[in-house]
Amino acid sequence: MTRLTAPDLFEPGLFEGTGFYDVFAWYRANDPVSWQHPAGEPEGFWNVTRYHDVVSVHRDSTRMSSAKGMRLGSADRAVDAVANKMLIVADPPDHTRMKRVLNQPFSNEVLSRAEEYVQQVVADVVARAVRNPGPNLIAQLERIPTDVICAIMGLPRTDWEWIGRKTTEAFESPSEVRRITANGEIFKYFGDLVRENHKSGANAFISGLTAQNSGGARLTDQELVFNFSGILAGGNETTRFTLAALTLQLAEHPDQWARIVRGEAEPDVATEEALRWSAPGMHVLRTATEALRIGNVEVEPGQRVVTWIGSANRDAEVFDAPDTFDVGRTGNRHLSFGAGRHMCLGSRLARLEITAYLRVLRDMVRSMTLRGRPRYNGSNFTWGLNELPVVLHA
């Protein structure tokens, strides 16, 4: 009998390309819930790679905790400092209370009023990219989510560039020290802003959240500061990576671009495929609080469980031809925004921006040319392109 050798999900450089999708495919077929203890991690964890198993973990808020961290490589002291004070690392009842308040600025009613502004930001960025093509289109695309989320939060225009740069450092830097330092700078920035707003009331976004009293739910100043950082990351990093991945696929597959131009694939449908394909939030960590079963594996209390969104989004049991980028794919049940209680707070805003981008491209761009080698950031957490040498032609 041939012995199957498991590939290494933590091989250095694996996420600097797209070869990890073949590794995910191996695990889905041969070892869908596997134990691993890579070098550098204090303890081992279970890797979950199939779609339905990933969904079961995300929806189980009774036996799965987020308060002990939601990503590999996090420093324990940093997690402890924000646990149950920051939405992404909170469990009920704190998670329920915070989300009730933080959902308000991202409701359909509020975002419908922002739609015209989003469209204008996207049009300005695309027009500038067409007029002045640079060596890396991402340097221009990143303005879309940064400008939109900063405008929604009412932040001073002079601070937007700094905020975008610090958010990237806080969530993507390979250096733990730089990540912690950048997070500290962001926390201080918002701490000062919240304190000043108590005096002036000048920031409508902060004032609105401070005044929220839906069902008695309120946030402390510390919770506001911590969650503003999460809002920035959710509204910036992941959307930028999806816009970049979408652009690359359209440049590499002009037949798919032609379908959008001809109206055979609607922008809102193509948006869902861009989200499935890009999977910018590559993994999510949970910790078991009780014994439970995932697939054919018994998970013990205290053990960590890592769900791989990038793998679930390519599961052939759920998606037809999952390794094909199809702008007309319908019934697209991707997990790029997660599932269950921790469904991404900014999912509606992200969809609004990506759909607006596709509409503007359709109206302003004739074709796209790839003029170099795309490069990825190499992260197994917030994964995506950081160099995109694509030129947009008017």
Side-chain angles (χ1 to χ4, degrees):
M1 183 174 71
T2 303
R3 180 181 175 84
L4 294 174
T5 302
D8 187 358
L9 256 176
F10 294 87
E11 177 187 353
L14 180 63
F15 287 85
E16 291 176 1
T18 58
F20 62 87
Y21 282 115
D22 293 334
V23 177
F24 284 154
W26 188 97
Y27 277 101
R28 288 196 304 272
N30 299 288
D31 200 3
V33 185
S34 61
W35 181 257
Q36 197 156 7
H37 190 170
E41 282 294 315
E43 54 188 301
F45 46 83
W46 294 103
N47 286 309
V48 181
T49 54
R50 285 182 179 170
Y51 181 96
H52 294 297
D53 290 336
V54 170
V55 170
S56 73
V57 171
H58 283 234
R59 289 182 175 169
D60 191 342
S61 58
T62 302
R63 298 175 298 178
M64 283 290 174
S65 172
S66 300
K68 294 185 181 298
M70 53 81 66
R71 65 170 290 180
L72 293 168
S74 296
D76 289 343
R77 63 185 183 279
V79 174
D80 291 342
V82 299
N84 288 317
K85 300 171 187 173
M86 190 175 187
L87 199 65
I88 57 175
V89 285
D91 294 329
D94 292 304
H95 181 276
T96 306
R97 171 181 55 84
M98 287 188 285
K99 194 162 190 177
R100 185 179 298 141
V101 176
L102 293 168
N103 261 331
Q104 301 299 320
F106 300 99
S107 67
N108 286 332
E109 179 184 356
V110 172
L111 292 184
S112 66
R113 296 198 294 269
E115 189 168 355
E116 184 177 347
Y117 175 76
V118 171
Q119 194 79 15
Q120 186 59 55
V121 169
V122 173
D124 289 347
V125 168
V126 172
R128 187 173 301 179
V130 169
R131 290 194 308 269
N132 303 301
N136 185 7
L137 184 60
I138 290 177
Q140 294 166 304
L141 291 183
E142 65 186 5
R143 266 199 55 213
I144 294 172
T146 298
D147 286 13
V148 169
I149 195 62
C150 286
I152 287 176
M153 296 178 76
L155 305 181
R157 180 68 181 86
T158 52
D159 297 342
W160 291 4
E161 183 180 350
W162 179 88
I163 287 168
R165 186 172 68 254
K166 287 300 171 183
T167 304
T168 298
E169 279 186 30
F171 284 84
E172 286 186 47
S173 175
S175 165
E176 180 184 333
V177 172
R178 290 186 66 181
R179 290 200 304 269
I180 292 173
T181 301
N183 271 301
E185 291 180 74
I186 292 171
F187 291 157
K188 183 181 184 305
Y189 174 86
F190 282 116
D192 293 344
L193 200 64
V194 168
R195 282 190 294 274
E196 176 60 33
N197 199 68
H198 282 317
K199 302 174 186 175
S200 68
N203 186 299
F205 182 86
I206 297 176
S207 296
L209 289 176
T210 305
Q212 290 299 334
N213 196 18
S214 176
R218 292 179 98 56
L219 299 185
T220 66
D221 284 359
Q222 188 181 56
E223 289 169 342
L224 279 173
V225 171
F226 287 159
N227 282 288
F228 286 159
S229 174
I231 288 171
L232 277 179
N236 189 347
E237 298 299 286
T238 54
T239 302
R240 168 164 59 92
F241 286 138
T242 298
L243 292 172
L246 169 60
T247 306
L248 176 61
Q249 289 306 304
L250 295 178
E252 291 185 327
H253 302 284
D255 58 316
Q256 296 295 312
W257 171 234
R259 292 174 67 191
I260 294 173
V261 172
R262 293 195 298 262
E264 297 170 5
E266 291 299 319
D268 57 340
V269 174
T271 290
E272 299 306 317
E273 180 68 345
L275 288 161
R276 181 191 76 88
W277 188 264
S278 60
M282 188 54 65
H283 82 255
V284 174
L285 174 68
R286 296 284 186 265
T287 302
T289 58
E290 302 176 24
L292 72 153
R293 190 176 184 86
I294 304 174
N296 295 321
V297 166
E298 298 291 340
V299 177
E300 299 175 5
Q303 289 185 330
R304 299 188 299 169
V305 176
V306 175
T307 60
W308 293 96
I309 306 301
S311 178
N313 279 358
R314 301 288 183 103
D315 192 335
E317 290 188 4
V318 178
F319 303 98
D320 293 333
D323 295 320
T324 298
F325 181 77
D326 178 5
V327 293
R329 186 185 298 273
T330 56
N332 201 330
R333 297 181 291 156
H334 65 80
L335 298 179
S336 294
F337 292 128
R341 182 179 297 277
H342 281 271
M343 180 77 75
C344 179
L345 188 71
S347 60
R348 287 176 289 221
L349 179 59
R351 286 185 166 106
L352 179 62
E353 293 174 45
I354 299 163
T355 302
Y357 179 64
L358 279 164
R359 287 176 177 149
V360 169
L361 285 181
R362 184 182 60 188
D363 294 342
M364 298 176 63
V365 172
R366 170 176 52 83
S367 61
M368 309 172 203
T369 304
L370 181 62
R371 292 184 176 174
R373 179 185 174 188
R375 296 185 185 276
Y376 295 85
N377 64 359
S379 170
N380 66 7
F381 178 58
T382 308
W383 175 82
L385 289 155
N386 57 15
E387 290 186 28
L388 180 63
V390 167
V391 175
L392 306 179
H393 304 286

